[in-house]
Amino acid sequence: MKRVVITGMGVISPIGSNVDTYWNHLTTGKSGITAIDQFDTTHFTTKIAGTVRDFQADSYMSTKEIRQYDRYLQFAVAATQQAIEQARLEVSRYAERVGVYIGTGIGGIHTLLQNHQTFLERGPKRVSPFMIPMMIGNIAAGQISILTGARGPTMATMSACATSNHAIGEAFHVIRSGRADIMIAGGAEASIHELALAGFCNMHAMSTNNDHPEQASRPFDLHRDGFVMSEGAGILIMESMDSALSRGAPILAEIAGYGASSDAYHITATDPEGGGAYRAMKAALEDANIRPEAVDYINAHATSTSLGDQSETRAIQTLYQHSAQPPLISSTKSVTGHLFGAAGAVEAVACIQAITHNMVPPTINYETPDPHCNLDYVPNEARNTSVKVAMSNGFGFGGHNAVLVFRSAM
């Protein structure tokens, strides 16, 4: 089977709209959570989110394209351009051997609801003919294929918060099996909207620490009170080692394993014992032929919910029950908030950067230990340490679990 490496990365996030800014703010613990100001939050219990504020769409696309692209697609296109530029990739030269696997958890909700409002106020003839192709969940993968000329396997994954881990993992297997040489993979999300916020508020799933937004996302801390919704995109350029070497492309890291499972438990709650998460981590390590003891860093899915953080801790403890102490663990969602379908991709970038810089980003806002979460979560300050192998966890509503293993390619 072919070895698969990462040659390019792109990020749009609440803490920076390029990889360097994102990584700098991640490692210094600069939170991207702020008060929502796009709409009136008077009647909402949660009034905060991780909003992307430094994004300049016109740096990546024309005015016409901006009008025709939902916000989530704009993010995906921009992150893809960043990744392609870093990879020094001319897609047209390899078009039939380049594929696109980009997913989303919610898709073009802004487009859908704007057009629904138009429908109610002005009637059916005023609904945009672009509404359907702008809002559907596969359009990021489809549009990026069109824009780049990639003619290989193209697909959109949609598995809630596990979406982009699934996209990257499945793309990894496409290359490893020889069905493509290069894959553009990741996820995008832009769901900070009144309706989505109302739905999550009424689930009582989100933090209500509105007076201190930057402190609201506090994974593993005893006083955590829910996640913070965020937006953005993460894209990787993945290719076979042979392809990367033949092109003289920069090799950032190797993706070594991918594991997936289902909790088969509940539509929103995770298995309290972490059984599905454990099986996905175990499968990813077996796929990589790497023992648990070789992992230096785990980027936890941990969203800052009481049950979720506890169950992931249990899963990690189960994975290491016959081994030495588990590796360093952190939740970068403490800084970025939860990007839903884009979370796994931006966290994959964090893992690759951790390997590149031998630095583990912190879990900020960790002040009071939870006796049920008793591992080393790298509290509040980044840690300089050798990182040769990093694992990234992604779990989604419906019981979807997807785990990726990265390692140094040197």
Side-chain angles (χ1 to χ4, degrees):
M1 292 186 291
K2 296 178 181 293
R3 293 177 65 187
V4 181
V5 295
I6 312 300
T7 57
M9 305 184 292
V11 166
I12 305 295
S13 82
I15 61 169
S17 290
N18 59 72
V19 170
D20 289 343
T21 304
Y22 162 76
W23 178 246
N24 179 57
H25 289 166
L26 201 63
T27 53
T28 57
K30 183 177 180 180
S31 173
I33 311 306
T34 57
I36 295 170
D37 55 13
Q38 301 97 306
F39 51 85
D40 183 5
T41 61
T42 300
H43 301 294
F44 294 84
T45 53
T46 293
K47 307 173 188 295
I48 55 177
T51 303
V52 173
R53 297 188 180 277
D54 64 345
F55 177 63
Q56 300 294 326
D58 57 5
S59 296
Y60 301 95
M61 59 204 80
S62 68
T63 301
K64 179 180 179 182
E65 288 170 330
I66 293 170
R67 289 198 306 268
Q68 294 180 356
Y69 293 175
D70 185 89
R71 186 169 170 86
Y72 100 95
L73 176 56
Q74 293 178 23
F75 290 163
V77 168
T80 298
Q81 288 187 30
Q82 292 176 19
I84 286 174
E85 181 178 353
Q86 183 180 27
R88 302 198 294 266
L89 175 63
E90 295 179 40
V91 174
S92 59
R93 290 188 59 187
Y94 313 94
E96 294 184 5
R97 300 290 297 172
V98 181
V100 183
Y101 277 19
I102 297 174
T104 182
I106 295 175
I109 190 170
H110 287 271
T111 295
L112 173 63
L113 295 174
Q114 287 166 2
N115 277 273
H116 180 246
Q117 190 65 31
T118 299
F119 172 80
L120 294 177
E121 294 175 354
R122 304 175 66 186
K125 292 188 180 297
R126 304 302 298 178
V127 171
S128 171
F130 293 102
M131 182 192 74
I132 300 299
M134 285 174 69
M135 61 160 279
I136 52 180
N138 72 304
I139 205 62
Q143 189 64 53
I144 286 168
S145 171
I146 293 166
L147 291 172
T148 62
R151 297 194 179 102
T154 301
M155 184 178 73
T157 56
M158 184 173 279
S159 49
C161 311
T163 290
S164 48
N165 269 17
H166 276 129
I168 294 166
E170 295 297 331
F172 162 57
H173 280 183
V174 167
I175 298 172
R176 193 165 69 168
S177 66
R179 289 177 285 152
D181 296 324
I182 302 170
M183 295 292 291
I184 303 167
E189 204 76 84
S191 56
I192 302 174
H193 185 281
E194 296 100 317
L195 185 63
L197 183 67
F200 283 122
C201 283
N202 293 342
M203 288 175 61
H204 305 289
M206 291 196 298
S207 174
T208 56
N209 191 359
N210 300 308
D211 293 334
H212 304 284
E214 69 284 353
Q215 299 173 19
S217 184
R218 45 196 321 113
F220 304 114
D221 184 86
L222 180 64
H223 302 299
R224 63 192 182 276
D225 70 333
F227 70 82
V228 179
M229 67 189 303
S230 296
E231 61 181 358
I235 299 293
L236 303 182
I237 304 300
M238 307 164 59
E239 57 188 299
S240 69
M241 178 69 84
D242 291 344
S243 171
L245 292 174
S246 69
R247 293 197 308 109
I251 295 175
L252 308 177
E254 181 176 0
I255 178 168
Y258 162 56
S261 71
S262 178
D263 283 357
Y265 176 75
H266 189 272
I267 58 170
T268 56
T270 186
D271 174 2
E273 298 304 315
Y278 161 72
R279 291 191 299 275
M281 288 189 289
K282 183 173 181 288
L285 290 172
E286 289 174 349
D287 192 43
N289 195 28
I290 290 174
R291 294 180 58 81
E293 297 88 341
V295 177
D296 300 301
Y297 168 53
I298 298 175
N299 187 295
H301 178 72
T303 63
S304 191
T305 63
S306 179
L307 177 59
D309 294 2
Q310 286 185 25
S311 65
E312 186 170 9
T313 296
R314 289 193 186 101
I316 294 169
Q317 290 170 332
T318 302
L319 183 68
Y320 284 90
Q321 62 185 323
H322 301 302
S323 306
Q325 181 75 11
L328 299 179
I329 301 159
S330 72
S331 173
T332 48
K333 291 183 181 72
S334 61
V335 181
T336 65
H338 192 357
L339 281 77
F340 303 144
V346 299
E347 289 159 13
V349 172
C351 287
I352 295 163
Q353 289 288 86
I355 292 169
T356 300
H357 296 280
N358 285 309
M359 178 181 288
V360 172
T363 303
I364 66 168
N365 301 319
Y366 185 87
E367 297 172 350
T368 307
D370 179 346
H372 299 290
C373 299
N374 55 358
L375 302 176
D376 187 345
Y377 305 114
V378 191
N380 302 313
E381 293 186 2
R383 199 171 302 177
N384 291 300
T385 184
S386 175
V387 182
K388 300 298 184 186
V389 179
M391 183 161 63
S392 182
N393 292 344
F395 314 133
F397 282 178
H400 304 291
N401 306 299
V403 175
L404 303 170
V405 177
F406 300 93
R407 66 184 171 198
S408 171
M410 308 309 291

